[in-house]
Amino acid sequence: MGHDKDVPPCPRTPLTPLGTAPPLRSDAQRNRERILEVALVELTRSADTPLSVIARKAGVGQGTLYRNFPSREALVLEIYRYEMQHVADSAARLLSGREPVCALREWMDELARFAMTKAGLADAIRQATSAPGSPAKPGHSPVTEAAELLLRSCEKAGTIRPGVTADDLILAIGGLWQLDPADDWQPRATRLLDLIMDGLRSGASGR
């Protein structure tokens, strides 16, 4: 659904559950990414999950966990930053192997996953940033820059309407942040993003 009849649909990777780990590179990197993967799942379930439980389920000692993340706040904010950077980095990767409009649509799926990560970690993030002297939540500039890259590539290809900015796109997809990660959010996210994609295509030059 959600495509003009003369525009072939873009093949996309199905939306996947939260906490899917990227490829591993070394023992140290494997430990770090495993901690982040487990912490995402456990802190989404309960913001008060003890770090000792996260270390045990990640298969590492507490010393390894604390060497990577010296505090609960550091761990929570690194999950948030790590997931956001993954979304940002995926823009160039998708553009390297897909038509720009298909890259944009699949990137929007990546953003949906990040929205669910943020929603699931809301309590943990609030705890990590609310106390006096706590670190600030990372800004969204990597995601905004990735959106601009994709939009300008699509505009140059003539597959979306001209003049759409990253801020326009982020505002339009704000409904993602209203979805409950505990529910069956994938079909609703897909429908919302397909509708937005239809709007972006409307008025395209068609070069």
Side-chain angles (χ1 to χ4, degrees), residues 63-119:
T64 297
L65 187 149
Y66 281 107
R67 277 195 300 274
N68 283 278
F69 309 104
S71 67
R72 174 182 293 272
E73 293 77 15
L75 175 58
V76 170
L77 294 180
E78 179 59 15
I79 296 170
Y80 183 83
R81 188 207 65 77
Y82 182 82
E83 294 291 321
M84 179 169 57
Q85 192 63 50
H86 173 76
V87 174
D89 291 344
S90 69
R93 173 178 54 81
L94 290 167
L95 278 172
S96 70
R98 292 163 176 75
E99 293 295 324
V101 72
C102 294
L104 174 60
R105 180 61 188 85
E106 188 161 343
W107 184 80
M108 289 161 70
D109 285 338
E110 295 278 358
L111 195 59
R113 295 184 187 94
F114 174 64
M116 294 304 98
T117 296
K118 182 179 178 182

Side-chain angles (χ1 to χ4, degrees), residues 35-59:
I35 292 167
L36 289 169
E37 177 188 2
V38 171
L40 170 59
V41 174
E42 295 303 319
L43 292 172
T44 296
R45 290 174 180 163
S46 172
D48 297 317
T49 300
L51 296 186
S52 59
V53 171
I54 293 172
R56 176 171 53 80
K57 291 191 175 184

